[in-house]
Amino acid sequence: MTSFPLWYLLLPFGFIFALTLLFFFFNLFHLNRYAVKSPATSFVIGVYIFTFIGLIGAIGFYLLSVNWHRQIQPSDLIPSFQAQSRI
Amino acid sequence: MLCLDKLPNSEPKETVKLFLRRHWIDLLRIFVFSGAMLLVPVVIGVVLQLGDVQVLHHPLWSVVVMLALASYLLIVHALTLTEITDYWLDVWIVTSERVINTEQQGLFNRLVSEVHLGQIQDITSETKGLLETFLTYGDVYVQTAAEKERFRFKNVDNPDDVKITISQLVKQCKTTHDHDPKLISPGLGTSPTNPDPTAKVSI
């Protein structure tokens, strides 16, 4: 088995992220279209946006810290959870 | 957005008397469930830590674990938002003329229905269970003469008071329509209290 770049792992994650993004916009659309106009509704929409952006920001902060071009060797697939240097 | 001051198909002098949502206990249940789901990775982390499994030090599996955690958090967030949206969009509006039932049933299913107060024949409030009794919330059922199933106000606050209010509004509405023949829809020829179809009504 040949080595593969680490960014391959981003593909399934990207799929899940795309789905949750769809859910987010779907919920936002429904609130904007069907909810009763009130300060409480505006607050709920604000919380939606704030928490989603916060979560995306935290995930993005981690993703930026990883070297995704690193090649993964077959030997790396064997879980040996000893203290090793991080990427 | 729906504006309470300008409801669709509103009649002159129609005012909103009740605006109801589900009881806050339903919202609390959503947050408790989401909190429990967020505890799962914490528990797994603690168990791994106790077993001295240094997964976060592995060059590959640390990334796999972190991406799995990120995916899990995104999914929990999406599910929580969807449940809150479902809660927020379930509203029941009682005006001086009609009852409007708006329910979000799942992701792609929305039910909006309304009934004129004059068509209501039965109103029932139901409080069932220990929590419902102490927090005074329950269901209110509004039944018309139609074959359609009755409206159900789910888990509303103070269902007894809601029932009393709707009963009073129904009584007022029927009294108003009896005294003002112009309010009777043309073609029906009857008032709610006079079922005789041959009775003449001047409009």
Side-chain angles (χ1 to χ4, degrees):
Chain A
M1 183 180 172
T2 56
S3 61
F4 61 90
L6 199 58
W7 62 262
Y8 277 23
L9 296 177
L10 285 176
L11 296 173
F13 173 76
F15 175 72
I16 292 171
F17 176 74
L19 277 180
T20 55
L21 194 67
L22 195 67
F23 266 67
F24 171 72
F25 283 117
F26 173 83
N27 284 312
L28 218 56
F29 166 78
H30 265 63
L31 281 179
N32 198 48
R33 177 81 173 81
Y34 298 117
V36 174
K37 192 174 182 181
S38 71
T41 300
S42 304
F43 174 75
V44 169
I45 292 174
V47 168
Y48 272 32
I49 296 170
F50 179 74
T51 55
F52 189 69
I53 289 175
L55 188 58
I56 296 301
I59 292 171
F61 183 75
Y62 167 74
L63 294 179
L64 287 173
S65 68
V66 176
N67 177 15
W68 297 104
H69 296 289
R70 184 181 187 277
Q71 293 292 319
I72 300 299
Q73 307 297 328
S75 59
D76 290 335
L77 295 174
I78 300 167
S80 169
F81 299 130
Q82 301 299 321
Q84 296 183 17
S85 57
R86 296 187 61 185
I87 296 170
Chain B
M1 280 190 186
L2 187 67
C3 196
L4 287 180
D5 296 331
K6 295 175 188 175
L7 292 172
N9 302 322
S10 60
E11 296 188 22
K13 296 183 186 176
E14 183 179 5
T15 54
V16 174
K17 299 296 183 184
L18 288 175
F19 175 73
L20 303 167
R21 275 210 172 89
R22 282 151 53 192
H23 196 262
W24 56 262
I25 197 75
D26 281 355
L27 204 56
L28 187 65
R29 282 198 189 108
I30 295 168
F31 286 126
V32 166
F33 181 71
S34 299
M37 288 184 77
L38 287 175
L39 280 178
V40 169
V42 173
V43 169
I44 293 173
V46 168
V47 167
L48 289 176
Q49 197 70 18
L50 289 174
D52 201 25
V53 178
Q54 304 294 329
V55 66
L56 291 180
H57 293 167
H58 195 275
L60 171 63
W61 291 105
S62 62
V63 176
V64 170
V65 165
M66 291 305 287
L67 286 180
L69 177 65
S71 305
Y72 183 78
L73 291 177
L74 284 171
I75 290 168
V76 169
H77 185 261
L79 289 176
T80 306
L81 254 57
T82 304
E83 289 298 314
I84 292 174
T85 302
D86 187 81
Y87 167 88
W88 202 255
L89 295 181
D90 284 353
V91 295
W92 296 274
I93 303 170
V94 180
T95 73
S96 52
E97 296 291 333
R98 53 190 167 145
V99 172
I100 302 170
N101 174 39
T102 310
E103 276 184 73
Q104 188 72 25
Q105 298 173 334
L107 283 178
F108 303 105
N109 197 351
R110 182 170 174 77
L111 175 73
V112 181
S113 52
E114 64 179 64
V115 65
H116 194 274
L117 289 178
Q119 294 173 301
I120 294 173
Q121 294 199 333
D122 179 59
I123 309 155
T124 308
S125 67
E126 184 181 50
T127 303
K128 209 162 54 171
L130 182 72
L131 206 59
E132 288 82 350
T133 303
F134 281 110
L135 296 178
T136 60
Y137 72 93
D139 297 344
V140 176
Y141 298 93
V142 174
Q143 179 73 57
T144 67
E147 287 182 17
K148 208 171 67 169
E149 66 180 13
R150 54 187 180 175
F151 283 19
R152 181 185 168 202
F153 296 24
K154 292 177 194 169
N155 289 347
V156 293
D157 199 16
N158 291 316
D160 292 337
D161 294 344
V162 171
K163 188 195 80 154
I164 291 168
T165 304
I166 296 176
S167 299
Q168 289 169 347
L169 288 170
V170 168
K171 213 177 280 185
Q172 279 173 18
C173 182
K174 287 182 177 176
T175 307
T176 306
H177 286 204
D178 276 346
H179 289 167
D180 190 348
K182 289 181 184 176
L183 291 176
I184 299 171
S185 303
L188 281 179
T190 65
S191 70
T193 55
N194 181 9
D196 183 3
T198 61
K200 290 184 181 176
V201 176
S202 60
I203 296 174

